[in-house]
Amino acid sequence: MIVRFWGTRGSLPVAQKADVVRDKVISALMASNGLAFETDDEAASWLDENLDFSIAGTYGGATSCVEIDAGDEFIVCDMGSGLREFGLNAMARCASAHARTYHFFLSHVHWDHIMGFPFFVPGFDPGAKIVIHAGHADAEEALRRQQEEISFPVPFDWLKADISFRTLLPGETYRIGSVDLSLIEQQHSHSSYGYRFQDADGKVAVYSTDSEHKVNRMEGEADVVAFFRDADLVICDTMYSLADTVAMKEDWGHSSNITAIDLCHEAAARRLALFHHEPTYSDRDIERMHRESIRYEELTRFSEPLEVICSYDGLELKL
Ligand SMILES: [Zn+2]
Ligand SMILES: [Zn+2]
């Protein structure tokens, strides 16, 4: 199974402004301290070894969209603004014989999780088949509504692909090709759903975003722990630092890095990907939170280590 992150930002797409990029370049120049490089490759490897990711790169700013590549047909979690780039990439892969069937799994239908669909080019491919799976029975209404004339110039019915909707039930197991999946209802405004995917090799990836876990009520989270149990990767809503959650953002429908680590430890998961980054956080803020998360994981570990990674637009993980 390969997991590709096409969009990792929460709530609102963001882009790095000129002054931020300029600061990164200044930091890189200062760190290089007059070094001369013969080739691009030489410069690239110095950069990889010597600069923080927040200087040399960026976490990106497209909203939620994650591909689970585990079979002949496309499996995609959420349709945030990252979906546009996935669509273009998928068209190129279809040109070299990939099946033109797309299975979407929607966590919920808040705007940041569906805003990419009107820009999803395969939607205009008459040979494409699109199945939109959701725990919400009103997913079709939400997708049609965002393309009504008052909001968008291209109506949903102009799309040429064969599009269907399927409402899924928590507790059931479903199969797409050789992938088994199930879902769990989560705490969020108008509800959200987490998905657990298991491929033919037994590798498990969990996609759980826009989900609020109560900081002081871990015993009430037994169903979540069971859902995360022994996963090779858990992609988790870690929008806020714990301090933010406790100080002012309780009941906002999101969770912290600390809570996600506690849940993954309980569940003996192997890897956690921090996800749905707060749009006001800079690259440095997110990197600091990632470092604090690694430190917290080490301090609270009670059995096998949990690897904490920080997702970014363009990250690809092999399970
Ligand atoms: Zn969201
Ligand atoms: Zn939401």
Side-chain angles (χ1 to χ4, degrees):
M1 184 189 292
I2 295 169
V3 179
R4 293 190 188 90
F5 293 83
W6 296 95
T8 57
R9 190 66 66 155
S11 302
L12 189 75
V14 294
Q16 300 297 333
K17 287 196 291 190
D19 61 336
V20 174
V21 176
R22 184 182 150 89
D23 282 347
K24 288 175 192 268
V25 175
I26 290 170
S27 298
L29 288 170
M30 294 302 287
S32 71
N33 197 22
L35 283 175
F37 303 105
E38 295 287 325
T39 62
D40 288 3
D41 284 349
E42 209 179 288
S45 51
W46 177 85
L47 181 144
D48 290 341
E49 282 162 29
N50 292 280
L51 296 186
D52 289 341
F53 182 78
S54 65
I55 308 273
T58 179
Y59 292 94
T63 64
S64 303
C65 184
V66 175
E67 178 191 357
I68 308 289
D69 186 348
D72 296 337
E73 300 179 345
F74 292 111
I75 293 176
V76 181
C77 298
D78 282 338
M79 306 170 159
S81 66
L83 181 63
R84 190 193 66 85
E85 202 183 339
F86 164 75
L88 298 175
N89 180 276
M91 293 289 276
R93 281 146 72 187
C94 288
S96 51
H98 195 288
R100 285 144 82 187
T101 301
Y102 300 83
H103 293 276
F104 286 101
F105 292 88
L106 299 185
S107 62
H108 63 316
V109 290
H110 281 166
W111 196 30
D112 56 316
H113 296 258
I114 60 170
M115 58 168 50
F117 193 64
F119 303 92
F120 181 55
V121 178
F124 295 92
D125 172 6
K129 185 174 178 223
I130 297 174
V131 187
I132 299 166
H133 308 258
H136 295 80
D138 52 8
E140 179 167 4
E141 185 189 342
L143 286 185
R144 287 184 168 276
R145 200 175 55 184
Q146 76 167 344
Q147 288 191 239
E148 283 176 5
E149 194 182 1
I150 198 164
S151 304
F152 198 73
V154 182
F156 189 89
D157 284 328
W158 286 13
L159 298 172
K160 296 279 189 294
D162 168 10
I163 303 175
S164 58
F165 288 83
R166 194 172 171 210
T167 307
L168 306 183
L169 296 172
E172 300 286 322
T173 301
Y174 300 91
R175 178 160 266 234
I176 303 292
S178 58
V179 176
D180 286 321
L181 66 106
S182 55
L183 63 161
I184 187 173
E185 189 168 3
Q186 305 175 138
Q187 196 69 243
H188 194 65
S189 156
H190 197 59
S191 276
S192 69
Y193 293 85
Y195 293 90
R196 180 183 171 102
F197 300 92
Q198 180 161 358
D199 71 5
D201 300 327
K203 295 290 181 188
V204 171
V206 173
Y207 178 75
S208 169
T209 192
D210 294 60
S211 175
E212 179 159 7
H213 304 286
K214 295 296 177 193
V215 180
N216 299 321
R217 266 192 265 140
M218 201 48 98
E219 67 282 4
E221 300 282 350
D223 52 342
V224 177
V225 170
F227 198 74
F228 289 5
R229 176 65 61 200
D230 295 329
D232 296 282
L233 173 68
V234 180
I235 299 161
C236 218
D237 174 355
T238 56
M239 190 158 178
Y240 307 129
S241 66
L242 186 66
D244 277 357
T245 313
V246 172
M248 43 190 191
K249 290 173 178 170
E250 200 173 351
D251 298 323
W252 283 30
H254 296 282
S255 283
S256 77
N257 52 337
I258 300 301
T259 311
I261 291 165
D262 289 347
L263 288 168
C264 286
H265 272 163
E266 262 335 292
R270 278 175 270 286
R271 267 204 277 195
L272 163 68
L274 310 180
F275 184 73
H276 202 275
H277 307 306
E278 157 65 40
T280 63
Y281 286 0
S282 68
D283 285 324
R284 279 180 200 273
D285 293 335
I286 297 172
E287 189 167 64
R288 189 181 317 117
M289 185 160 148
H290 183 203
R291 288 199 180 122
E292 288 167 4
S293 304
I294 291 170
R295 185 87 187 104
Y296 177 79
E297 191 283 324
E298 287 167 355
L299 290 170
T300 57
R301 182 187 300 164
F302 54 82
S303 60
E304 292 302 299
L306 166 73
E307 185 190 353
V308 182
I309 54 175
C310 192
S311 66
Y312 58 88
D313 298 6
L315 173 65
E316 190 172 296
L317 293 176
K318 173 118 182 57
L319 304 192

